[in-house]
Amino acid sequence: MGIKVSRFGKTKDGKEVSIFTLMNGNGMGIEVTNYGATLVAVTTQDRNGRFDDVVLGYDDVTDYMDNDGYFGATIGRNGNRIGGAQVTINGTVYEIDKNEKGNNLHSGFQGFDKVLWDAEMLTDETGMRFSYHSPDMDQGFPGNFDVTVTYTLTEDNEVKIHYQGEADKDTIANLTNHTYFNLAGQGKGAILDHQMWIDADAFTVIDEESIPTGELRAVKGTPMDFMEPKVIGNDIDADYEQLRVAGGYDHNFVLNNQDGTIRKCAVVSEDTTGRVLEVFSDCIGIQFYTGNYITKRSGKDGEMYDKCGGFCLETQFYPDHNHHENFPSAVLKAGDQYETTTIYKFSVRK
Ligand code: BGC
């Protein structure tokens, strides 16, 4: 396959950041950087053989340092929100960053998205492995946590993200990837005409601060129902309190078939290009976020992004998992292996 390494700028403390370009035999390419173990680009064919980059991002690492939208980033140790910015592990309360209305979003001010990871090419050159040592009490979480994120590009046009980690104390491990996709091409307007299917009968209801209340609500008969493929924009403006509080979709879907195996969780398609994205994962939840809080900004290749310019499908435990007995725990026991896989697979429909 062959991996190209290029310079991507420097961190604030002068460390060189690299960007790694991988290409498969079909001409599909991805770019990843060791800053935030971030997915920077996915270039894939449409039904006429035209290649476009279908993920939102930036041309220079300095924009990723300021990346308030977490474009393409690896999020950890904990993806999504934790109410009151506190977690309790074995009866001890740990304070974590209050970075959103007194709550915690995506782990804090210097999460895994804002650090430089060690980079290593897989020996068969099909992927890149990023490693990070998160020290005891990093962001307020207990235990030294050694973690790797491996991106592989397969000949089946899959971007495979494999997470693996181990801690020396009981801690929270709930990583995710925060890529915004636009199957028409990055910068090509809103994603409201994309079709979405999510294999979830229920979602986690949120309060005005987007923190789960603990209620799992059936999607059936609500605008949250994606059990049959539905155009995202169809119901997004419905007079439904859950959509109003989040300004669109920004909810965790409770995935069906939670047996720990990797299964198909979501399918997205875009009619004008014929591009299809299938998401496979062993995770129990998926945050479907329609980029409601993207403010006007310029991204890669001078393209402009705005509200709903991309959607995220973030695989994970349910948000605020630490505070609801009916939500599975994201506590990783000391010495146990944290291991999870999510695959974004691209194809075209004629
Ligand atoms: C959250 C959004 C948040 C965004 C930040 C998403 O994972 O669900 O509420 O605004 O991350 O970019």
Side-chain angles (χ1 to χ4, degrees):
M1 187 173 285
I3 299 177
K4 190 175 117 208
V5 188
S6 321
R7 294 172 81 162
F8 199 42
K10 284 190 176 159
T11 59
K12 286 188 185 115
D13 51 358
K15 294 201 182 90
E16 283 287 347
V17 181
S18 303
I19 192 150
F20 305 90
T21 307
L22 290 81
M23 200 170 269
N24 71 10
N26 311 316
M28 176 179 166
I30 67 168
E31 291 177 22
V32 289
T33 172
N34 50 339
Y35 187 81
T38 301
L39 180 62
V40 174
V42 174
T43 305
T44 182
Q45 258 175 324
D46 71 4
R47 68 159 73 82
N48 300 316
R50 180 195 148 105
F51 283 90
D52 285 302
D53 183 358
V54 296
V55 316
L56 276 55
Y58 300 110
D59 287 325
D60 192 281
V61 75
T62 49
D63 291 313
Y64 282 99
M65 290 176 206
D66 221 12
N67 185 5
D68 64 344
Y70 302 87
F71 285 35
T74 294
I75 311 288
R77 296 183 191 186
N78 185 71
N80 218 311
R81 293 183 168 84
I82 295 184
Q86 282 189 340
V87 290
T88 306
I89 304 171
N90 303 328
T92 304
V93 177
Y94 297 90
E95 304 282 341
I96 51 179
D97 290 347
K98 290 190 169 70
N99 62 344
E100 194 192 60
K101 301 176 195 155
N103 303 314
N104 180 278
L105 172 65
H106 297 326
S107 303
F109 298 110
Q110 191 150 38
F112 290 178
D113 56 298
K114 298 271 181 329
V115 297
L116 198 60
W117 294 60
D118 289 331
E120 175 198 347
M121 284 180 201
L122 300 190
T123 43
D124 62 2
E125 300 196 340
T126 57
M128 289 296 308
R129 179 173 299 124
F130 298 114
S131 323
Y132 185 63
H133 173 78
S134 169
D136 190 21
M137 297 310 286
D138 185 17
Q139 312 162 74
F141 293 108
N144 291 289
F145 181 47
D146 286 291
V147 59
T148 66
V149 177
T150 306
Y151 287 93
T152 311
L153 174 62
T154 73
E155 291 302 318
D156 292 327
N157 295 343
E158 298 164 321
V159 181
K160 196 181 272 189
I161 311 178
H162 180 243
Y163 304 84
Q164 189 266 332
E166 191 176 329
D168 60 2
K169 288 188 188 148
D170 294 3
T171 193
I172 302 284
N174 180 29
L175 279 72
T176 193
N177 179 275
H178 208 293
T179 296
Y180 293 79
F181 298 95
N182 185 328
L183 299 183
Q186 60 106 11
K188 297 285 177 287
I191 45 70
L192 297 175
D193 57 354
H194 288 45
Q195 285 215 344
M196 176 70 66
W197 171 82
I198 307 176
D199 192 17
D201 294 336
F203 72 102
T204 49
V205 172
I206 51 175
D207 67 14
E208 319 71 57
E209 295 181 349
S210 287
I211 306 295
T213 60
E215 179 189 345
L216 305 184
R217 187 179 293 171
V219 296
K220 204 170 167 54
T222 79
M224 312 301 284
D225 189 353
F226 289 95
M227 284 297 291
E228 296 295 327
K230 180 171 81 181
V231 171
I232 295 174
N234 263 16
D235 293 339
I236 199 169
D237 293 322
D239 186 17
Y240 187 65
E241 167 262 344
Q242 283 295 300
L243 289 170
R244 272 200 311 270
V245 293
Y249 294 100
D250 190 4
H251 296 80
N252 169 67
F253 285 73
V254 174
L255 291 169
N256 298 333
N257 309 316
Q258 299 188 351
D259 63 359
T261 58
I262 300 172
R263 79 287 193 207
K264 195 185 288 189
C265 307
V267 179
V268 197
S269 60
E270 201 280 324
D271 276 353
T272 65
T273 60
R275 287 198 182 92
V276 178
L277 165 63
E278 293 166 290
V279 183
F280 300 81
S281 181
D282 50 15
C283 287
I284 59 170
I286 199 166
Q287 183 83 6
F288 170 40
Y289 172 50
T290 40
N292 316 330
Y293 305 120
I294 304 179
T295 47
K296 208 173 176 68
R297 66 189 68 193
S298 66
K300 283 181 286 187
D301 306 324
E303 294 288 357
M304 290 304 293
Y305 305 149
D306 210 341
K307 188 175 174 180
C308 298
F311 64 88
C312 302
L313 287 166
E314 305 155 59
T315 53
Q316 53 186 223
F317 282 94
Y318 310 160
D320 207 32
H321 44 75
N322 195 252
H323 298 142
H324 305 280
E325 289 205 334
N326 56 331
F327 289 9
S329 165
V331 171
L332 174 70
K333 291 277 175 206
D336 279 1
Q337 282 295 309
Y338 172 71
E339 193 170 4
T340 163
T341 302
T342 293
I343 298 165
Y344 297 104
K345 178 174 182 173
F346 294 86
S347 58
V348 285
R349 211 173 265 164
K350 294 288 171 196

